Amino acid sequence: MKAVVVEQYAPIDQIELKDVPSPRAEPGQLRIKIEAAGIGFVDGLKTEGRYQTKDPLPFIPGTEFAGVVTDAPGAPGGYQPGMRVMGMTRSGALAEEIVVKPEALHPLPDGVAPEVAASFRANYLTALYALSGRASLVAGEQLLVLGAAGGTGIAAVQIGKLLGARVIAAASTPEKREFAQAHGADAVIDYTQAGWRDTFKEMTDGHGADVIFDPVGGDISVQAFRSIAWRGRHLVVGFAGGSIPALPFNLPLLKGGALLGVDLAQIGVREPELQKRLMGELTGWLADGQLKPVVGQIFALEDFRGAFKAMQTRAALGKMVVRIAR
Ligand SMILES: NC(=O)c1ccc[n+]([C@@H]2O[C@H](COP(=O)([O-])OP(=O)(O)OC[C@H]3O[C@@H](n4cnc5c(N)ncnc54)[C@H](OP(=O)(O)O)[C@@H]3O)[C@@H](O)[C@H]2O)c1
């Protein structure tokens, strides 16, 4: 089968598509023919060996996929060949086939395209867990989403609207702000402008943000926390801007605000029941059409480098997807 193989941690230009043996499913495992893989910011960090945890070399990058079960010895988890699934894994999704345990999979509702399914689980589960599971966002609250046109950001915009919040989307370019508005944001703001906090204050009639969804980090995070409402919750999701901010401890005291960490990788282990409930909620919205996950750009497997570069150059709108099989 064809697979992207990282033999040495390196920039994406130095990573190749190779022919490698197809994986075999042992009892208790399932083999999936992958139709599409979603690429997130983390995948770029992993190929360069810059993520918090390093995948042992060599490895196939890609953590999110959608496809069809082709082998299921013993029908683990009730899965049978021919069933359509979406999945999450530590690595291995940028390949024509993958072998996983049933816990990595979720059945795919009818009528959902593989590109949509591959854009769905990581970002939308992160957004729902953050906004509902951690921040207990309620209808009518003011939600500020930073990096709102990115993969997790646009998911937070959509989930925030589904939870009934007023969503203010912060992004760096007019195109990104239009994109956020087209996906439901009530108002937009250019957070690269020096006076953006004053504009934000006016937009919320002096109230500030009840909840801040923050996948960006750096100085923007501290600025945003300074605009938090009394009893506000600032969700630490990621550091796409490249630097980890330090928050002066007097700010939570003065603002009556809280900083809450979010880690998708730990939800299933630490709060499996909550993850199950949130996935049920998400797939329900997906099945009844209330939630239409945003597919940003689709690349052929041969062009996988384009998906990584779009994110690394801050050019991505929504989630980048690599189409693998037809
Ligand atoms: N905690 C979790 O469980 C979890 C789950 C998924 C992802 N993450 C993390 O969340 C972060 C965002 O992931 P994502 O998939 O949403 O990424 P993404 O699609 O690339 O979006 C990130 C956004 O950050 C902004 N940004 C600011 N400075 C940037 C820079 N120097 N380079 C790139 N983007 C920059 C960009 O918006 P503007 O141009 O508008 O500023 C961009 O749209 C990453 O750090 C990722 O590791 C965490």
Side-chain angles (χ1 to χ4, degrees):
M1 67 166 183
K2 290 206 181 317
V4 175
V5 183
V6 177
E7 289 172 335
Q8 299 296 332
Y9 302 120
I12 201 67
D13 276 332
Q14 295 169 33
I15 307 296
E16 301 284 340
L17 189 61
K18 306 225 163 186
D19 280 310
V20 300
S22 286
R24 284 171 54 92
E26 305 294 339
Q29 297 180 322
L30 298 124
R31 189 170 65 208
I32 317 295
K33 178 182 167 220
I34 299 182
E35 296 179 320
I39 301 300
F41 199 87
V42 171
D43 297 304
L45 297 176
K46 283 185 166 188
T47 58
E48 294 185 13
R50 293 198 292 125
Y51 192 57
Q52 287 107 308
T53 56
K54 285 195 172 46
D55 292 75
L57 296 167
F59 74 97
I60 297 170
T63 52
E64 201 171 7
F65 62 90
V68 180
V69 177
T70 53
D71 194 13
Y79 290 100
Q80 303 279 355
M83 284 177 78
R84 299 183 68 231
V85 290
M86 53 186 165
M88 272 186 69
T89 164
R90 180 175 173 176
S91 59
L94 270 176
E96 288 177 322
E97 292 177 287
I98 191 169
V99 164
V100 291
K101 291 189 174 165
E103 301 82 66
L105 299 177
H106 204 91
L108 196 54
D110 285 342
V112 179
E115 293 87 348
V116 172
S119 307
F120 177 60
R121 197 163 155 179
N123 287 345
Y124 288 81
L125 182 57
T126 300
L128 184 59
Y129 175 73
L131 297 177
S132 173
R134 298 308 313 274
S136 306
L137 178 75
V138 294
E141 285 195 307
Q142 310 267 357
L143 167 64
L144 172 63
V145 180
L146 309 181
T152 55
I154 203 72
V157 168
Q158 290 179 294
I159 298 286
K161 284 309 297 174
L162 279 169
L163 297 175
R166 175 170 183 250
V167 179
I168 301 173
S172 65
T173 67
E175 191 193 12
K176 288 185 175 188
R177 293 192 288 277
E178 273 165 33
F179 183 75
Q181 209 147 23
H183 289 97
D186 297 290
V188 293
I189 191 160
D190 177 0
Y191 64 169
T192 63
Q193 295 295 313
W196 76 271
R197 289 187 51 233
D198 296 331
T199 314
F200 179 71
K201 196 171 176 183
E202 279 168 29
M203 279 175 162
T204 62
D205 290 330
H207 179 79
D210 295 302
V211 175
I212 300 169
F213 183 90
D214 180 3
V216 177
D219 189 45
I220 286 291
S221 301
V222 180
Q223 290 177 30
F225 196 94
R226 288 182 189 277
S227 297
I228 204 164
W230 186 252
R231 286 184 179 268
R233 292 83 78 203
H234 186 133
L235 294 157
V236 181
V237 179
F239 312 103
S243 66
I244 297 177
L247 187 74
F249 261 37
N250 64 322
L251 287 181
L253 182 155
L254 290 170
K255 299 283 181 180
L259 202 59
L260 298 172
V262 173
D263 186 4
L264 174 69
Q266 297 191 59
I267 310 171
V269 183
R270 295 186 183 271
E271 300 183 74
E273 284 309 311
L274 178 60
Q275 169 162 311
K276 212 167 142 192
R277 181 170 68 72
L278 297 178
M279 276 309 291
E281 216 166 322
L282 284 170
T283 45
W285 285 332
L286 189 62
D288 70 16
Q290 281 196 73
L291 178 61
K292 296 196 190 323
V294 181
V295 180
Q297 215 178 327
I298 301 171
F299 297 83
L301 181 55
E302 294 69 29
D303 299 330
F304 69 92
R305 295 184 191 92
F308 287 77
K309 283 182 186 170
M311 275 174 308
Q312 289 163 349
T313 56
R314 206 172 168 174
L317 293 176
K319 181 98 176 179
M320 300 296 100
V321 174
V322 175
R323 187 71 163 96
I324 296 180
R326 298 243 157 241

